[in-house]
Amino acid sequence: MAQRNLRWAAEGVKLYPEKARALGVDAEEAASWREAAEKMLIPYDERLGVTPQDETFTEHEVWDFAHTAPDQYPLLLHFTYFDLYRKQLVKQADLVLAMHLRSDAFTPEQKARNFAYYEPLTVRDSSLSANTQAVLAAEVGQLQLAYDYLGETALIDLHDLQHNVQDGVHIASLAGAWIALVAGFGGMRLQHSWLSFAPRLPEGITQLAFHLMFRGCRLRVEVRATEATYRLLDGSPLAVRHHGEEILLPVDGAVTRPIPPVKAGPRPTQPPGRAPVPRGARRSS
């Protein structure tokens, strides 16, 4: 992601020279940004076939989850950073977030492997994690897991899942419910200036509809189990992508496309006691 930002910033200097000069940015500085982007290391573990969060992450021992008591979460309140950072342990979805924001930088196979690898290591001690995990779970076909994460994101305060709602609501997590729905089950991404969608619904949700404003165009997306409909409500004709297929939306017109099936691998596990509550499960009093 940092690579892309540096390249975009350098390109911005070229496209908007007057604004660059007003900010005191010259061509030499922009060139240094490009050089930094080219020299940036993106690690990859050939043995495991996954992307490490940092260069040595997959070389660390895995955290001893079996001997971690339920009342020791959040871990950062009970263990030192010296212990935490020397283990394969993830507080909140990090590399998984990168696969959302830079979806084009990973193949579908890499996303599935990375997601499966990091799920058993992610303890979700942050309320900001579940919505990101919902997005990637939906993308790799783990639709029911994505649905469970959506429930955690949306109900974090109503069900007081972190036992601290008396201190205030989790506004960012609540906003994450929209992200889980639109970027997760709606499959919305912005890639290379293209607005793209790869929608799929889990059992339990029969329809999803949402509106977007994109470059002066107002768009309505309706998703059902087997098809998605894109309707341009206002603006000029707009080209979008549906599961990789380019479609042109006419003004005041709609286009419907079938949703292709997805083949998902086994549902990944989470650290003991850290799995999201299954949707539909009765909560104990």
Side-chain angles (χ1 to χ4, degrees):
M1 190 165 65
Q3 278 186 321
R4 179 180 65 173
N5 291 340
L6 286 170
R7 287 170 178 151
W8 280 5
E11 188 64 21
V13 173
K14 184 190 301 182
L15 294 174
Y16 306 102
E18 293 183 2
K19 292 185 180 296
R21 284 194 296 270
L23 294 171
V25 179
D26 56 22
E28 182 178 354
E29 183 175 357
S32 71
W33 296 343
R34 293 190 185 91
E35 182 180 6
E38 294 302 324
K39 292 183 176 180
M40 199 169 290
L41 172 67
I42 301 178
Y44 184 75
D45 189 316
E46 296 285 353
R47 177 177 59 88
L48 297 174
V50 299
T51 307
Q53 290 208 149
D54 60 64
E55 191 173 3
T56 61
F57 181 83
T58 54
E59 299 173 13
H60 299 327
E61 293 182 10
V62 174
W63 183 264
D64 186 2
F65 293 109
H67 293 92
T68 303
D71 61 1
Q72 289 181 300
Y73 292 95
L75 297 178
L76 59 85
L77 300 182
H78 301 276
F79 300 91
T80 66
Y81 286 130
F82 182 79
D83 290 327
L84 298 173
Y85 288 166
R86 295 169 68 224
K87 298 292 192 298
Q88 288 194 57
L89 173 69
V90 184
K91 173 189 173 185
Q92 62 194 49
D94 291 326
L95 189 279
V96 171
L97 175 61
M99 294 193 295
H100 172 194
L101 298 178
R102 280 302 312 274
S103 182
D104 58 312
F106 301 85
T107 67
E109 293 76 20
Q110 287 174 325
K111 291 174 186 176
R113 286 198 304 271
N114 284 338
F115 183 78
Y117 185 83
Y118 282 99
E119 275 293 287
L121 305 176
T122 304
V123 295
R124 296 196 325 288
D125 278 345
S126 167
S127 63
L128 303 179
S129 190
N131 74 85
T132 292
Q133 288 170 276
V135 170
L136 262 295
E139 182 170 355
V140 302
Q142 299 292 343
L143 296 173
Q144 293 307 125
L145 177 58
Y147 195 19
D148 296 344
Y149 279 135
L150 168 64
E152 179 172 303
T153 299
L155 301 173
I156 187 169
D157 292 321
L158 288 175
H159 289 178
D160 197 12
L161 297 179
Q162 295 207 348
H163 312 292
N164 58 4
V165 73
Q166 72 272 8
D167 298 324
V169 298
H170 296 79
I171 291 295
S173 179
L174 297 177
W178 186 91
I179 295 174
L181 286 166
V182 175
F185 298 130
M188 186 193 74
R189 302 288 188 275
L190 181 60
Q191 300 177 346
H192 304 293
S193 77
W194 277 89
L195 190 61
S196 65
F197 302 89
R200 287 192 177 93
L201 295 182
E203 294 182 8
I205 297 181
T206 58
Q207 181 179 358
L208 169 67
F210 54 91
H211 292 82
L212 296 169
M213 283 293 294
F214 181 70
R215 296 180 176 175
C217 297
R218 189 159 64 95
L219 178 68
R220 176 178 174 85
V221 180
E222 299 177 7
V223 184
R224 295 178 177 80
T226 60
E227 64 182 24
T229 299
Y230 305 92
R231 187 182 305 274
L232 183 59
L233 302 176
D234 292 302
S236 304
L238 177 67
V240 299
R241 287 177 177 168
H242 167 83
H243 284 281
E245 175 195 357
E246 180 181 341
I247 55 178
L248 181 64
L249 305 181
V251 181
D252 293 327
V255 176
T256 298
R257 288 290 185 270
I259 295 176
V262 61
K263 183 178 180 180
R267 174 169 168 148
T269 59
Q270 292 73 41
R274 307 306 289 172
V277 176
R279 298 297 301 136
R282 184 179 299 275
R283 298 178 66 249
S284 59
S285 58

